[in-house]
Amino acid sequence: MKPGKSIKVLIISAPSGAGKSTLVNHLLDAGLPLLFSISATSRKPRGTEADGVEYYFITAGEFRRRISQGQFVEWQEVYRDHYYGTLRSEIDRISNEGKIPLFDVDVQGGINLKKIFGNDALSLFIMPPSVAELRSRLLRRKTDTLEQIEMRVEKAASEILLADRFDRVIVNDDLDRACSEIMSVVNAFIGER
Ligand code: ADP
Ligand code: 5GP
């Protein structure tokens, strides 16, 4: 990341289960000049996830070494022993291709990135219709244990209180409606300046 170089960035955060991945994939499939910013993480791959696609999978020790070398723009221990972070090299990779990085990060990471990029960033908070619906979606998704789901739901209640720190809140109630709203907001941002 070169200091002083101004690039647009798109930040999307949400409590887990709100539908962030669904909406992010909708944007990425729409042919906009966006590239998904691949974060590094110390959690293990899930299902079909592959290194260098969804994440750069590294050990917690390697993660901490990279923190000490200043390789991250931001990082968080999102869940205990599970580090996630945005690499400076990833932003360079995307901006060198003339594209806008799309950061899919947790709520605190989204707030931190907005502070760093200021008006060059559009930060979006994906809001679930309710915490009860969030729990139902996580149960239906069947990717997490009951214990993990409860941990995510508990965290969601405090994350929702931070929604007003984002430029815009998109309520993911009806999926088609939320997809149209996010498309129009992102298109307006890309078209600015
Ligand atoms: P996140 O990335 O925020 O954790 P996902 O995109 O994986 O959330 O969505 C969680 C689950 O809810 C998925 O199974 C997804 O298909 C479903 N889902 C997403 N949006 C909606 C919606 N508007 N209505 C009902 N189910 C939804
Ligand atoms: P998951 O384990 O479900 O892939 O991700 C858990 C959470 O970590 C999600 O909210 C996801 O957006 C967030 N996350 C992924 N990459 C990063 C990152 O680089 N920084 C931060 N702060 N959060 C991230």
Side-chain angles (χ1 to χ4, degrees), residues 20 39 43 46 55 74 76 84-86 104-106 152:
K20 181 176 50 166
S39 296
R43 83 148 163 77
R46 279 197 303 249
Y55 287 105
E74 66 78 38
Q76 294 285 320
Y84 296 80
T86 307
D104 171 336
V105 292
D106 84 318
R152 285 170 187 246

Side-chain angles (χ1 to χ4, degrees), residues 1-2 5-9 35 88-101 117:
M1 214 171 87
K2 297 176 192 65
K5 195 178 165 205
S6 163
I7 52 154
K8 282 189 191 184
V9 304
L35 272 188
R88 293 177 195 281
S89 56
E90 191 60 12
I91 300 177
D92 289 341
R93 176 182 74 83
I94 295 171
S95 61
N96 286 340
E97 286 196 40
K99 298 280 170 62
I100 297 174
F117 288 97

Side-chain angles (χ1 to χ4, degrees), residues 14-23 104 126 129 133-134 137-138 140-142 152 172-176 178:
S16 177
K20 181 176 50 166
S21 309
T22 307
L23 292 172
D104 171 336
I126 312 302
E133 171 62 14
L134 187 85
R137 286 182 189 174
L138 288 171
R140 281 199 298 269
R141 193 172 68 179
K142 293 192 169 85
R152 285 170 187 246
N172 182 19
D173 41 15
D174 174 72
L175 184 58
D176 288 344

